Amino acid sequence: DGLDTVYTFSSIKGTTVSDLKCNFHSKGYRLPTEDEWELAAMGGKQFFYATDNGDIDHSKANYQEWLRKTTEVGSYPPNPFGLFDMAGNLGEWTNDWSSTKTLIEDRSDYMGPENGSSKVIKGGDWTDYYSALKSSENTTSTPGNSNNRTGFRICFPFGQRNNNPVFLSSSDLLDSIVY
């Protein structure tokens, strides 16, 4: 299929993966960074919530145990980029390790911390209150932790600029797919 290996690791013992590394220069599927996830969620707008119009209620997302379970993908309207369920239903793993990063002006080369103990989860899930569904909010969990409230979404670069994958700014996001 012509795709590169994106992730490498030294060993797996149970649910622990040692020395997991992501090669962002590879052409292959991977988890989005926290910033990429936020840009995709906002759909090119300055929305607080990743819904069709930036508002949140139970007609736009599954949250606060309203239905007491996950729903089928596409049960709610997509955001302006056509992505479904970016708010609520399932929290989504990102590639980023949790950190105390501050907002940086130029996010075009930001690939997240190189290591850590917890990964960032975005979007909120079906048990969360509406405030946890804001595009800017996150939670964290240790890799290997599994439950019925967390899933994942993948991204794929469509091009490169200066040896970097293209999809790290709102204008470049249109050059990639976040599924």
Side-chain angles (χ1 to χ4, degrees):
D1 56 3
L3 299 178
D4 298 332
T5 299
V6 175
Y7 291 100
T8 59
F9 57 90
S10 61
S11 67
I12 298 177
K13 291 182 182 174
T15 59
T16 302
V17 179
S18 299
D19 300 319
L20 180 65
K21 302 287 184 208
C22 179
N23 181 349
F24 288 95
H25 301 289
S26 294
K27 182 180 178 186
Y29 297 102
R30 64 173 174 79
L31 294 174
T33 65
E34 182 178 6
D35 285 345
E36 290 166 343
W37 190 97
E38 284 184 23
L39 290 168
M42 289 189 287
K45 310 287 183 184
Q46 293 299 313
F47 288 167
F48 283 111
Y49 297 98
T51 61
D52 58 339
N53 66 359
D55 294 334
I56 195 75
D57 63 48
H58 290 290
S59 71
K60 299 183 179 298
N62 181 16
Y63 64 100
Q64 208 167 334
E65 298 192 40
W66 184 253
L67 300 173
R68 300 178 191 256
K69 63 179 182 176
T70 58
T71 57
E72 187 174 321
V73 173
S75 296
Y76 299 94
N79 76 358
F81 280 160
L83 302 173
F84 291 92
D85 302 322
M86 296 290 287
N89 209 31
L90 288 175
E92 298 177 1
W93 291 100
T94 69
N95 195 70
D96 284 14
W97 292 103
S98 177
S99 74
T100 56
K101 76 171 185 154
T102 57
L103 183 63
I104 51 179
E105 290 298 318
D106 181 12
R107 300 182 344 175
S108 63
D109 291 326
Y110 182 73
M111 303 294 183
E114 289 188 28
N115 53 48
S117 59
S118 295
K119 290 282 193 173
V120 174
I121 297 173
K122 301 291 290 181
D125 65 60
W126 62 273
T127 67
D128 285 326
Y129 287 99
Y130 69 93
S131 58
L133 277 61
K134 288 182 182 176
S135 299
S136 61
E137 292 294 314
N138 69 43
T139 188
T140 63
S141 185
T142 56
N145 184 24
S146 65
N147 57 53
N148 66 348
R149 300 177 319 274
T150 310
F152 64 93
R153 189 176 298 262
I154 58 173
C155 65
F156 181 81
F158 268 96
Q160 300 234 330
R161 183 179 302 130
N162 300 326
N163 274 341
N164 289 312
V166 174
F167 49 28
L168 296 173
S169 71
S170 55
S171 60
D172 291 338
L173 191 62
L174 298 176
D175 294 333
S176 71
I177 292 179
V178 178
Y179 294 94

